[in-house]
């Protein structure tokens, strides 16, 4: 298992100090780690388990149970395409296929240049404006394949500006 | 909610300003509301006009979003759908005085679509600044809690029971009975939890409510606490709702600062405080016992009942678990009276339901009406038919575990029992429309796929059955001995319905069975 860098373990330690005395803190801790590091590195499992008096299996079990937690770093931009019924009713599957082809990756993967990761999501609560996509936490409605191309290009340009 | 939003505290400085409402609702933002808001601010500054921008919730008319409302001398005049590019032209047309323009909708509340609704739970959504306690109170907020504090806990529970309110999350269990059980428990700690894990496709009323009127949820939870002796509350919010998370967090801080939460709620000497906990993308956590496991920081595996959560819930203590809409409706019941609320609806479905129209529908959005209108009325009068202009072939009601209802049954009433009577269920009130291009065998495969993906794995019928279900539908789709595989699929559905531990495995077959019942040709006539 890959070791955490010293800044990573410092971050995890700080989060554990902040959350460990709250009731039922594990999900809160994992959310905070993912928010800070972009993912929950496998190297953090032991630290979390020790601080919360849980077994490593408990922590691993929770990380793998929830779709939201990732154990590898995401792309610079995370693209979530809704695959649920309401979006399917208005071309959601074609949009999902377009996203795969356009990015050249499948769901749960990251582009080779590390720019984008593509994830499925099962409902973004924007069903009156289907199909829906979320890019870096920004929600988009009535997304056509052309509109998705424009949004991805926009995210890419922002990257260059930064 | 944005840098240029002006809070009511600044109202004195803004008295001469024209108030302009630009929704901060996630759905409106998904259609460009943020850019519209920025454009209005920029244009107003350029023209030297004094504009006070308020980020309201959505009225629920999503085909008109971003729907901007201007408080002009002519009243509150709406324009929509507005894009950032339309903004200079709207100023040219004198929209701050309600001027004529191609996008002018007029007063939203006089549109037949809105005027014919019966908005009790959604009374304030879209009308007020969701983060202003003062605005909330000015629109009837906290009158319900004030009344509840003047009553005995038993009387509050009785009012909720008498109102006939049933759980709006989908299970439709009488809310008052659940509360009575918690009230009757002797315990040093009780909890009120709100299930805001709105995972059903086609539903968004929880999100709209939390983004458009979060104080009604906070007030509802506080009333639940006062009625049962709970002192702590949790809102279990799905991680897919970052906008709702920001607004709820802000509203809770606002309620605390104004002493509507904390050690001395409204000067009553009663303590109640609450916090938001985020889910992590597991559909099963919308099931109440699984949600409690998740709140405790564990895998969201369902618990065997009994004991009921009302007896032994969060951290082993008596716990109320109610949906967002259920809790947000309670203030209106206390404020207007249980009998007034019970005066709406039909049979055992009392009150109103915020119904969500989604999928392939021309006018998607939120319609709150008393129980008892027909699906046809909803789909054609409110919804305007399909977005594609083709006939609506089927609707799925109640999320991914809900049955598909064919066009021949569109005269069915929206009512818990009437829908159960045709083998469907109302659930959380989401209706997803499909036109005649839908392949129902593919939808059946999706239902099984979704169950396989989201199964918590605790019981075999759900964990294994759903995977076998996908395989069977795959064979049917490939035209491989469809008669035999359809028979097997029906048998498998029966096993899952009868043998699963909770509603996920127990109901995932409903869309499959209904597709087989009403659209058998899609399964048998494959080439």
């Amino acid at each position: 298992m890959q070791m955490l860098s010293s800044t990573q373990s410092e971050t995890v330690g700080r989060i554990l100090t902040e959350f460990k005395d709250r009731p039922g803190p594990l999900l809160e801790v994992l959310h905070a780690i993912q928010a800070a590091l972009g993912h929950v590195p496998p190297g953090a499992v032991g630290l979390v388990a020790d601080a919360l008096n849980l077994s490593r299996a408990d922590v691993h079990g929770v990380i793998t149970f929830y779709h939201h937690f990732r154990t590898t770093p995401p792309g610079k931009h995370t693209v979530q395409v809704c695959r649920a019924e309401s979006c399917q009713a208005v071309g959601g599957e074609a949009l999902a296929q377009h996203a795969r082809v356009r990015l050249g990756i499948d769901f749960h993967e990251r582009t080779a240049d590390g720019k984008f990761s593509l994830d499925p999501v099962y409902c973004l609560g924007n069903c009156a404006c289907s199909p829906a996509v979320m890019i870096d936490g920004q929600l988009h409605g009535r997304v056509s394949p052309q509109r998705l191309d424009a949004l991805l290009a926009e995210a890419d340009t922002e990257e260059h500006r930064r | 909610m944005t840098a240029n939003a002006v809070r009511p505290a600044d109202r004195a400085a803004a008295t001469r300003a024209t108030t302009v409402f630009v929704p901060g609702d996630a759905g409106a933002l998904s259609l460009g509301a943020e850019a519209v808001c920025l454009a209005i601010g920029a244009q107003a500054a350029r023209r030297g006009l004094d504009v006070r921008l308020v980020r309201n919730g959505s009225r629920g008319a999503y085909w008109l979003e971003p729907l901007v409302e201007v408080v002009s001398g002519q009243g509150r005049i709406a324009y929509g759908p507005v894009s950032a590019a339309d903004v200079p032209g709207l100023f040219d047309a004198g929209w701050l005085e309600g001027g004529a323009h191609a996008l002018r909708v007029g007063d939203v509340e006089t549109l037949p679509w809105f005027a014919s609704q019966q908005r009790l739970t959604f009374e304030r959504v879209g009308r007020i600044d969701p983060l202003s306690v003062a605005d909330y109170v000015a629109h009837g907020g906290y009158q319900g809690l004030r009344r509840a504090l003047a009553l005995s806990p038993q009387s509050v529970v009785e009012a909720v029971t008498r109102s006939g309110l049933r759980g709006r999350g989908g299970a439709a269990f009488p809310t008052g009975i659940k509360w009575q059980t918690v009230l009757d428990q002797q315990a040093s700690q009780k909890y009120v939890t709100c299930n805001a894990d709105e995972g059903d496709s086609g539903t968004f009323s929880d999100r709209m409510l939390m983004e458009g009127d979060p104080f009604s949820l906070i007030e509802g939870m506080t009333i639940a606490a006062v009625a049962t002796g709970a002192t702590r509350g949790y809102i279990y919010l799905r991680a897919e709702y970052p906008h709702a998370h920001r607004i709820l967090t802000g509203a809770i801080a606002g309620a605390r600062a104004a002493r509507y939460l904390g050690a001395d709620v409204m000067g009553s000497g009663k303590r109640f405080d609450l916090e938001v906990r985020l889910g992590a993308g597991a559909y099963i956590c919308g099931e109440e016992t699984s949600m409690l496991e998740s709140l405790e920081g564990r895998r969201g595996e369902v618990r065997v009942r009994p004991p009921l959560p009302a007896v032994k819930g969060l951290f082993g203590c008596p716990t109320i678990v109610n949906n967002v809409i259920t809790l947000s409706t309670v203030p209106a019941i206390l404020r207007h009276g249980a009998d007034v609320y019970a005066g709406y609806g039909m049979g055992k479905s009392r009150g109103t339901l915020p119904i969500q129209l989604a999928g392939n529908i021309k006018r998607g959005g939120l319609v709150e009406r008393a129980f008892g209108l027909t699906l046809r009325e909803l789909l054609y009068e409110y919804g305007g038919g399909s977005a594609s202009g083709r006939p609506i072939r089927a609707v799925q009601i109640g999320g991914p575990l809900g049955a598909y209802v064919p066009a021949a049954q569109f005269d069915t009433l929206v009512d818990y029992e009437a829908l159960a009577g045709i083998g469907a269920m109302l659930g959380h009130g989401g209706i997803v429309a499909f036109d005649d291009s839908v392949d129902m065998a593919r939808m059946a495969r999706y239902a099984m796929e979704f169950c396989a993906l989201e199964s918590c794995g605790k019981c075999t019928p759900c964990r294994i059955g759903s995977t076998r279900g996908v395989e069977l539908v795959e064979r049917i789709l490939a035209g491989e001995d469809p008669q035999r595989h359809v028979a097997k699929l029906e048998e498998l559905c029966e096993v899952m319905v009868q043998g699963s531990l909770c509603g996920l495995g127990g109901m995932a077959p409903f869309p499959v069975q209904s597709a087989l019942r009403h659209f058998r040709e899609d399964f048998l006539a494959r080439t």
Side-chain angles (χ1 to χ4, degrees):
Chain A
M1 190 187 303
Q2 210 175 343
M3 297 284 287
L4 294 184
S5 70
S6 62
T7 47
Q8 281 180 328
S9 20
E10 208 170 286
T11 303
V12 172
R14 182 176 45 75
I15 288 166
L16 285 166
T17 311
E18 187 186 341
F19 288 94
K20 71 180 169 57
D21 295 323
R22 297 196 191 182
L26 181 53
L27 258 76
E28 297 271 276
V29 165
L30 297 175
H31 271 300
I33 292 174
Q34 184 154 307
L37 305 179
H39 68 297
V40 182
V45 171
L47 290 177
V48 173
D50 285 348
L52 303 185
N53 197 22
L54 297 167
S55 71
R56 298 169 73 103
D58 286 333
V59 178
H60 176 77
V62 167
I63 294 170
T64 50
F65 181 86
Y66 293 96
H67 302 306
H68 178 78
F69 297 125
R70 50 169 90 238
T71 51
T72 54
K76 288 201 180 72
H77 303 287
T78 53
V79 181
Q80 294 173 292
V81 179
C82 178
R83 310 206 58 197
E85 291 93 333
S86 179
C87 291
Q88 288 184 40
V90 278
E93 276 312 283
L95 183 67
Q97 184 54 26
H98 180 82
R100 282 195 191 103
V101 172
R102 165 70 173 68
L103 294 173
I105 50 173
D106 204 345
F107 282 103
H108 305 289
E109 290 180 356
R110 191 172 61 152
T111 54
D113 59 8
K115 276 186 183 165
F116 293 97
S117 45
L118 180 63
D119 292 300
V121 62
Y122 294 86
C123 198
L124 291 163
N126 199 25
C127 319
C129 314
S130 291
V133 167
M134 195 177 261
I135 300 175
D136 298 334
Q138 298 289 321
L139 185 60
H140 303 280
R142 295 189 205 125
V143 181
S144 62
Q146 295 71 31
R147 175 97 184 105
L148 181 64
D149 287 346
L151 290 168
L152 294 176
E154 206 177 290
D156 207 9
T157 330
E158 272 168 30
E159 191 53 42
H160 291 307
R161 262 195 309 223
R162 241 183 257 161
Chain B
M1 282 143 64
T2 62
N4 42 12
V6 181
R7 297 275 136 245
D10 306 329
R11 205 168 260 169
T15 39
R16 287 179 318 278
T18 306
T19 300
V20 177
F21 290 93
V22 185
D25 169 275
L29 294 174
S30 84
L31 302 171
E34 194 60 36
V36 170
C37 189
L38 291 171
I40 294 171
Q43 279 293 318
R46 183 167 308 160
R47 294 165 191 246
L49 296 167
D50 205 0
V51 163
R52 171 179 166 258
L53 286 162
V54 177
R55 308 308 301 271
N56 58 334
S58 171
R59 297 281 195 160
Y62 281 102
W63 71 99
L64 291 174
E65 292 289 1
L67 181 74
V68 178
E69 293 179 75
V70 178
V71 182
S72 72
Q74 302 181 45
R76 191 163 160 165
I77 303 299
Y79 296 81
V82 176
S83 72
D86 295 323
V87 171
L90 285 162
F91 274 95
D92 290 344
W95 74 328
L96 295 187
E97 289 80 44
H101 189 276
L103 298 177
R104 191 180 190 277
V105 173
D107 180 351
V108 175
E109 301 193 8
T110 62
L111 294 178
W113 175 86
F114 190 95
S116 61
Q117 295 193 35
Q118 291 151 312
R119 291 202 169 191
L120 299 178
T121 309
F122 273 70
E123 186 184 347
R124 282 173 294 261
V125 175
R127 295 174 74 188
I128 63 167
D129 176 346
L131 284 175
S132 163
V133 180
D135 221 3
Y136 181 66
V137 171
H139 288 80
Y142 281 116
Q143 287 180 20
L145 177 60
R146 192 176 298 281
R147 190 150 305 167
L149 286 168
L151 296 171
S152 68
Q154 185 59 56
S155 305
V156 177
V157 173
E158 273 163 18
V160 173
T161 307
R162 211 170 58 245
S163 75
L165 179 65
R166 292 164 72 179
R168 298 286 188 249
F173 187 81
T175 307
I177 294 178
K178 197 182 265 186
W179 288 23
Q180 184 70 54
T181 310
V182 176
L183 173 61
D184 291 344
Q185 305 302 309
Q186 298 295 321
S188 56
Q189 177 70 62
K190 296 178 184 178
Y191 293 102
V192 176
T193 60
C194 171
N195 186 341
D197 194 38
E198 183 175 57
D200 290 350
S201 176
T203 66
F204 45 85
S205 62
D206 291 354
R207 178 187 63 69
M208 280 185 68
L209 195 290
M210 291 185 287
E211 293 173 354
D213 190 17
F215 289 111
S216 68
L217 172 57
I218 296 169
E219 184 185 354
M221 290 181 74
T222 312
I223 294 172
V226 166
T228 56
T231 53
R232 270 214 79 75
Y234 291 95
I235 298 171
Y236 184 83
L237 178 70
R238 60 199 305 257
E240 292 85 345
Y241 283 1
H243 306 82
H245 187 205
R246 283 194 288 276
I247 294 171
L248 278 176
T249 308
I252 289 170
R256 215 176 269 146
R259 308 266 171 94
Y260 288 104
L261 286 175
D264 185 18
V265 172
M266 285 183 94
S268 65
K270 292 199 157 83
R271 168 189 296 273
F272 181 65
D273 211 334
L274 65 90
E275 64 180 274
V276 182
R277 287 284 179 99
L278 282 183
Y283 177 76
I284 188 61
C285 291
E287 194 281 335
E288 64 175 5
T289 63
S290 164
M291 182 197 86
L292 294 172
E293 286 292 305
S294 187
L295 270 177
E296 292 182 19
R298 287 195 288 270
R299 293 162 66 91
E301 290 182 4
V302 300
R303 296 178 183 173
V304 179
R305 280 175 296 192
L308 294 168
V311 177
K312 205 167 179 286
L314 188 63
F315 302 115
C317 300
T319 303
I320 287 182
V321 186
N322 278 142
N323 164 259
V324 174
I325 299 299
T326 313
L327 288 163
S328 304
T329 301
V330 168
I333 290 170
L334 267 291
R335 177 174 152 223
H336 301 298
D339 300 322
V340 171
Y341 189 76
Y344 292 89
M346 61 175 280
K348 286 194 270 179
S349 303
R350 310 311 312 179
T352 59
L353 181 72
I355 299 155
Q356 304 120 86
L357 295 179
N360 196 329
I361 192 94
K362 196 167 165 190
R363 294 199 294 265
L366 186 116
V367 176
E368 182 174 350
R369 277 281 304 261
F371 290 93
L373 76 168
T374 66
L375 287 172
R376 190 176 305 283
E377 208 178 335
L378 275 168
L379 293 169
Y380 291 95
E381 284 172 34
Y382 287 101
S386 73
S388 58
R390 301 172 70 101
I392 298 177
R393 187 177 184 219
V395 294
Q396 186 178 30
I397 310 176
L401 312 178
Y404 285 98
V405 175
Q409 292 183 332
F410 285 174
D411 290 315
T412 308
L413 297 177
V414 173
D415 157 270
Y416 294 117
E417 280 69 34
L419 281 166
I422 60 161
M425 64 157 196
L426 187 48
H428 186 44
I431 301 180
V432 179
F434 293 84
D435 72 10
D436 62 355
S437 67
V438 66
D439 178 342
M440 294 307 294
R442 284 183 184 277
M443 297 319 294
R445 178 181 62 184
Y446 173 77
M448 285 294 186
E449 266 172 2
F450 185 71
C451 182
L453 196 68
E454 298 295 336
S455 175
C456 83
K458 187 156 178 160
C459 72
T460 318
C462 174
R463 185 183 66 244
I464 308 287
S466 52
T467 300
R468 293 289 97 88
V470 175
E471 292 164 3
L472 281 171
V473 187
E474 289 284 355
R475 293 198 176 131
I476 294 165
L477 284 169
E480 214 178 289
D481 200 354
Q483 290 283 0
R484 190 165 67 93
H485 287 119
V486 162
K488 276 194 171 179
L489 181 62
E490 285 178 320
E491 199 184 319
L492 173 71
C493 284
E494 198 53 37
V495 170
M496 289 175 69
V497 169
Q498 300 298 330
S500 298
L501 201 54
C502 83
L504 179 54
M507 288 156 64
F510 290 175
V512 181
Q513 290 172 317
S514 59
L516 284 164
R517 190 160 62 239
H518 301 297
F519 307 98
R520 214 172 179 81
E521 63 277 17
D522 286 20
F523 293 81
L524 295 181
R526 311 222 55 114
T527 46

